């Protein structure tokens, strides 16, 4: 930024005073809040975030210094809930990300499911012989929650996940949103959301990486018959 465009020291001072005022207003709103979702607290929070961000920018532009504040972006904060007080319908939106950590394990599990389904040996050229085909078979066979709880068995590694609950006056018409299920979500209709991400972990708990998972060879040894049917039965148990 050129010297002509730099903010003055007085402007930086004014921005600092605005942060102090916003802090006082936020504390006062918190002290008077009527409940967990008090709109006055949300409004004071947003004003404080905006004032802190403005001060941070001016401070950097004028003095090349930064603040220790971490200002949440607009996309990270939901607006206050403005949906029906007594919703007659809700929608649950879930996204879970996985890494295909062990493709061969994924393919093997899909081939076992397909072999059991058709009571025949699976050709590698069939759907279960490709990663997309294997994913289609496994997610068609098992509920998403079961895949989430058994993801290591399928050669998957968990990534970020999020769950949003939205409210509505009336349920949508059957088939209305199937072509674009995650579009046109009104943030003010979101009742609550729950996010899981590695970025939220301050530290890994001791011993977490020491958990042992039974793998295919160990499972065969426990059955004592060496034919590997034990794991297949577990896969098919909930069909």
């Amino acid at each position: 930024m050129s010297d002509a465009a730099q903010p003055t020291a007085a402007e930086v001072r004014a921005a600092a005073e605005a942060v102090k005022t916003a802090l006082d207003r936020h504390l006062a709103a918190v002290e008077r809040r009527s409940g967990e979702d008090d709109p006055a607290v949300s409004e004071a929070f947003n004003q404080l975030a905006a004032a802190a961000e403005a001060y941070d920018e001016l401070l950097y532009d004028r003095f090349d210094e930064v603040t220790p504040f971490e200002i949440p972006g607009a996309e990270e904060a939901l607006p206050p809930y403005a949906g029906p007080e007594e919703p007659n319908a809700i929608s649950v939106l879930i996204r879970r990300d996985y890494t295909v950590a062990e493709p061969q394990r994924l393919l093997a599990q899909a081939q076992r499911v397909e072999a059991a389904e058709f009571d025949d040996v699976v050709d590698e050229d069939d759907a279960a012989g490709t990663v997309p085909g294997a994913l289609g078979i496994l997610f068609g066979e098992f509920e998403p929650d079961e895949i989430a709880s058994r993801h290591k068995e399928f050669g998957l590694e968990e990534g970020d996940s999020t769950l949003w609950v939205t409210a509505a006056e009336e349920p949508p018409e059957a088939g209305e949103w199937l072509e674009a299920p995650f579009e046109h979500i009104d943030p003010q209709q979101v009742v609550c959301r729950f996010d899981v991400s590695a970025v939220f972990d301050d530290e890994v708990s001791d011993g977490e990486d020491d958990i042992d998972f039974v793998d295919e060879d160990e499972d065969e040894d426990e059955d004592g018959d060496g034919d590997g049917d034990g794991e297949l039965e577990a896969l098919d148990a909930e069909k």
Side-chain angles (χ1 to χ4, degrees), residues 29-123:
V30 170
E31 290 173 337
R32 296 194 303 266
R33 69 180 178 183
S34 58
E36 291 185 2
D37 299 321
D38 191 328
V41 175
S42 297
E43 179 65 20
F45 173 88
N46 292 333
Q47 291 176 354
L48 176 57
E53 185 173 15
Y55 170 62
D56 188 82
E57 290 179 358
L58 291 173
L59 184 69
Y60 182 79
D61 290 343
R62 176 65 186 182
F63 299 110
D64 199 23
E65 291 289 344
V66 296
T67 69
F69 307 140
E70 183 177 347
I71 311 301
E75 71 280 358
E76 298 175 8
L78 290 172
Y81 175 70
E85 292 186 4
E86 297 183 3
N88 295 314
I90 66 168
S91 295
V92 180
L93 293 85
I94 301 174
R95 171 174 172 168
R96 297 186 178 115
D97 285 0
Y98 297 95
T99 300
V100 181
E102 299 180 74
Q104 292 307 313
R105 178 179 286 270
L106 177 74
L107 295 171
Q109 298 287 36
Q111 288 166 1
R112 291 184 180 198
V113 169
E114 194 169 59
E117 185 73 20
F118 295 103
D119 194 25
D120 195 1
V121 176
V122 178
D123 191 319

Side-chain angles (χ1 to χ4, degrees), residues 131-156:
V131 170
L135 290 169
I137 289 171
L138 293 175
F139 278 88
E141 180 74 10
F142 303 103
E143 294 291 334
D145 286 344
E146 184 173 2
I147 296 236
S149 65
R150 301 173 58 185
H151 62 278
K152 287 184 178 293
E153 294 180 35
F154 303 116
L156 302 175

Side-chain angles (χ1 to χ4, degrees), residues 81 89-93 163-167 189-194:
Y81 175 70
I90 66 168
S91 295
V92 180
L93 293 85
L163 182 151
W164 294 35
V165 179
T166 65
Q189 303 293 317
V190 177
V191 179
C192 57
R193 64 178 285 183
F194 303 94

